[in-house]
Amino acid sequence: MLQHLNAHFTEDLSLSELSEQFHVSTSHMIHVFKAQFGLTPIQYVIRRRIGEAQHLLRTTEDSAGDIAGRVGMVNRNYFYRMFKRLVELSPVQYREVTCGQPEEHASR
């Protein structure tokens, strides 16, 4: 399942589809995944997306809004909220701190 999540983290994933694909109940899948990785599958995907966003903020000049879409988080407000919760900086602040570059088009 971890390989599948890593390969498809930018896609719209649902617990019910994952449980069907892996032939287990949703509750069992969540329980087993959390026991092994310390996170639910959805929490893992969110962290994976934010990690990829961090990489893209460091290595591209794409706007934070564009990066949100590229990592599968089409709701930009949710992306910004999750990024700030997990990284403790906004995407713009993160880019400034890691690259020394202010983002000119953060409102895109």
Side-chain angles (χ1 to χ4, degrees):
M1 184 186 313
L2 187 63
Q3 288 176 333
H4 179 81
L5 293 177
N6 282 323
H8 300 279
F9 74 92
T10 62
E11 300 169 17
D12 187 24
L13 299 170
S14 78
L15 290 174
S16 60
E17 290 171 355
L18 288 170
S19 64
E20 278 182 38
Q21 183 173 355
F22 293 101
H23 309 288
V24 295
S25 72
T26 302
S27 60
H28 181 69
M29 177 183 63
I30 291 169
H31 176 75
V32 170
F33 195 91
K34 189 168 184 173
Q36 186 164 6
F37 299 107
L39 301 165
T40 68
I42 297 303
Q43 289 170 331
Y44 177 83
V45 168
I46 291 168
R47 288 179 186 268
R48 179 71 174 87
R49 288 174 175 172
I50 298 301
E52 182 65 14
Q54 288 177 284
H55 170 74
L56 293 171
L57 286 164
R58 288 190 312 270
T59 60
T60 72
E61 294 182 12
D62 295 348
S63 72
D66 290 343
I67 288 172
R70 285 180 60 187
V71 299
M73 298 181 87
V74 294
N75 182 327
R76 291 179 182 172
N77 289 330
Y78 181 70
F79 168 73
Y80 285 102
R81 202 168 51 250
M82 289 294 99
F83 194 99
K84 185 146 186 160
R85 181 180 294 164
L86 295 173
V87 181
E88 299 181 353
L89 296 169
S90 72
V92 173
Q93 292 168 328
Y94 179 80
R95 177 174 272 161
E96 290 173 354
V97 167
T98 60
C99 301
Q101 301 175 331
E103 184 172 337
E104 295 176 17
H105 305 290
S107 61
R108 274 193 198 173

